[in-house]
Amino acid sequence: MSARQTAPGKLTLVGLGPGDARFLTAEAQAALANADTLYGYGPYLDRVPPRPGQSRHPSDNREERARATAALAHAAEGQNVAIVSGGDPGVFAMAAAVCEAVDAGPPSWRSLDVAIVPGITAMLAVAARMGAPLGQDFCAVSLSDNLKPWPLIERRLDAAAGAGFVIAIYNPVSAARPWQLGAAFERLRPHLPPTTPVIFGRAVGRSDEHVAVTTFDAADPAVADMATLVIVGCAQTRIIERAGRTPLVYTPRSPSEANK
Ligand code: SAH
């Protein structure tokens, strides 16, 4: 309790989940209701119903570090501040940006009450729509080379596919990064059978949701946009076709299942 008494303010990172309010946890809802001030990328803030007396600070998607610094400074004035993230705040999102800012910032920021409220991240929402593609070991890779060099991404793709991980690909393309997903597929091609299932999940949890499965040899990088998460299976990932129903895609829990 003493920490709370001396803490000058509170900063909560709130995961909104992938789409509409169905995906918001009760904890996230309470954190949003209790905040005096909200920060975040404009379209994410628009998902939060307005509350009288609560101020909002929308910002551009690429201004993560500046947003983190502004929110910390605001919390240090004694405010209860929340930063919203799509999906989970710890997955390619604001929680790490806030930790970086605390690490580099004034000592007084270390006495702030910082809380992280998890959300359903895109790969879990996409996987759930299709079956159990993440049923065995998997990893997540962001193709954004804004914060890391492309050769490092290539090394990680090689290592992941070479070790048999299912790979969830975040940030597959953007207006400024049109070629990365095609290059990633070329990098993965030598490691994977042509029949490996590939899932494209777009805007999951929103009204324009579209989820589809294809095989690696037929996968067209051009169908992905900024709102798409791609799951590339491993050699054991299978598609169960079902008459009159969407297929079930799954990765058996044991690699030896593939030999049955
Ligand atoms: N913190 C977020 C990820 C931010 S990175 C999370 O945990 O989900 C942004 C990337 O996430 C997008 O380029 C896309 O690959 C993925 N993404 C976010 N929301 C999505 C959704 N509703 N459907 C599919 N992919 C989504």
PDB file of all heavy atoms in Angstrom, residues 31 66 73 76 89 137 193 198 213 259:
ATOM      1  N   ALA A  31     -10.415  -0.939 -16.736  1.00  0.00           N
ATOM      2  CA  ALA A  31      -9.266  -0.023 -16.831  1.00  0.00           C
ATOM      3  C   ALA A  31      -9.626   1.188 -17.684  1.00  0.00           C
ATOM      4  O   ALA A  31      -9.245   2.323 -17.363  1.00  0.00           O
ATOM      5  CB  ALA A  31      -8.059  -0.756 -17.417  1.00  0.00           C
ATOM      6  N   ALA A  66       7.134   8.518 -28.920  1.00  0.00           N
ATOM      7  CA  ALA A  66       6.682   9.854 -28.495  1.00  0.00           C
ATOM      8  C   ALA A  66       5.396   9.738 -27.671  1.00  0.00           C
ATOM      9  O   ALA A  66       5.221  10.427 -26.661  1.00  0.00           O
ATOM     10  CB  ALA A  66       6.446  10.732 -29.728  1.00  0.00           C
ATOM     11  N   ALA A  73       4.754  11.219 -18.968  1.00  0.00           N
ATOM     12  CA  ALA A  73       4.841  12.566 -18.385  1.00  0.00           C
ATOM     13  C   ALA A  73       3.492  12.971 -17.784  1.00  0.00           C
ATOM     14  O   ALA A  73       3.425  13.566 -16.700  1.00  0.00           O
ATOM     15  CB  ALA A  73       5.281  13.564 -19.457  1.00  0.00           C
ATOM     16  N   ALA A  76       2.941  11.121 -14.585  1.00  0.00           N
ATOM     17  CA  ALA A  76       3.805  11.671 -13.535  1.00  0.00           C
ATOM     18  C   ALA A  76       3.206  12.923 -12.904  1.00  0.00           C
ATOM     19  O   ALA A  76       3.606  13.337 -11.816  1.00  0.00           O
ATOM     20  CB  ALA A  76       5.196  11.964 -14.095  1.00  0.00           C
ATOM     21  N   PRO A  89      -1.148  -5.539 -25.690  1.00  0.00           N
ATOM     22  CA  PRO A  89      -0.181  -4.429 -25.684  1.00  0.00           C
ATOM     23  C   PRO A  89       1.268  -4.895 -25.666  1.00  0.00           C
ATOM     24  O   PRO A  89       2.185  -4.117 -25.965  1.00  0.00           O
ATOM     25  CB  PRO A  89      -0.513  -3.658 -24.402  1.00  0.00           C
ATOM     26  CG  PRO A  89      -1.324  -4.570 -23.572  1.00  0.00           C
ATOM     27  CD  PRO A  89      -1.962  -5.578 -24.469  1.00  0.00           C
ATOM     28  N   ASP A 137       4.495 -26.442 -31.492  1.00  0.00           N
ATOM     29  CA  ASP A 137       5.342 -25.275 -31.231  1.00  0.00           C
ATOM     30  C   ASP A 137       5.221 -24.239 -32.350  1.00  0.00           C
ATOM     31  O   ASP A 137       5.192 -24.582 -33.529  1.00  0.00           O
ATOM     32  CB  ASP A 137       6.807 -25.708 -31.087  1.00  0.00           C
ATOM     33  CG  ASP A 137       7.011 -26.598 -29.876  1.00  0.00           C
ATOM     34  OD1 ASP A 137       6.137 -26.595 -28.991  1.00  0.00           O
ATOM     35  OD2 ASP A 137       8.028 -27.305 -29.818  1.00  0.00           O
ATOM     36  N   PRO A 193       7.180 -28.123 -47.448  1.00  0.00           N
ATOM     37  CA  PRO A 193       6.505 -28.827 -48.540  1.00  0.00           C
ATOM     38  C   PRO A 193       5.509 -27.881 -49.226  1.00  0.00           C
ATOM     39  O   PRO A 193       4.916 -27.023 -48.553  1.00  0.00           O
ATOM     40  CB  PRO A 193       5.744 -29.956 -47.828  1.00  0.00           C
ATOM     41  CG  PRO A 193       6.347 -30.064 -46.467  1.00  0.00           C
ATOM     42  CD  PRO A 193       6.922 -28.723 -46.126  1.00  0.00           C
ATOM     43  N   VAL A 198      -1.389 -22.442 -45.467  1.00  0.00           N
ATOM     44  CA  VAL A 198      -1.125 -21.032 -45.147  1.00  0.00           C
ATOM     45  C   VAL A 198      -2.479 -20.352 -44.929  1.00  0.00           C
ATOM     46  O   VAL A 198      -3.373 -20.450 -45.776  1.00  0.00           O
ATOM     47  CB  VAL A 198      -0.366 -20.325 -46.292  1.00  0.00           C
ATOM     48  CG1 VAL A 198      -0.156 -18.838 -45.962  1.00  0.00           C
ATOM     49  CG2 VAL A 198       0.976 -20.995 -46.548  1.00  0.00           C
ATOM     50  N   VAL A 213      -7.883 -20.278 -46.095  1.00  0.00           N
ATOM     51  CA  VAL A 213      -6.692 -21.136 -46.062  1.00  0.00           C
ATOM     52  C   VAL A 213      -6.358 -21.561 -47.477  1.00  0.00           C
ATOM     53  O   VAL A 213      -7.255 -21.767 -48.309  1.00  0.00           O
ATOM     54  CB  VAL A 213      -6.910 -22.362 -45.135  1.00  0.00           C
ATOM     55  CG1 VAL A 213      -8.032 -23.261 -45.627  1.00  0.00           C
ATOM     56  CG2 VAL A 213      -5.616 -23.152 -44.988  1.00  0.00           C
ATOM     57  N   ASN A 259       3.348 -39.164 -39.325  1.00  0.00           N
ATOM     58  CA  ASN A 259       3.737 -40.421 -39.955  1.00  0.00           C
ATOM     59  C   ASN A 259       2.626 -41.470 -39.928  1.00  0.00           C
ATOM     60  O   ASN A 259       2.814 -42.581 -40.377  1.00  0.00           O
ATOM     61  CB  ASN A 259       4.986 -40.994 -39.242  1.00  0.00           C
ATOM     62  CG  ASN A 259       6.116 -39.960 -39.280  1.00  0.00           C
ATOM     63  OD1 ASN A 259       6.288 -39.283 -40.280  1.00  0.00           O
ATOM     64  ND2 ASN A 259       6.865 -39.843 -38.190  1.00  0.00           N
TER      65      ASN A 259
END
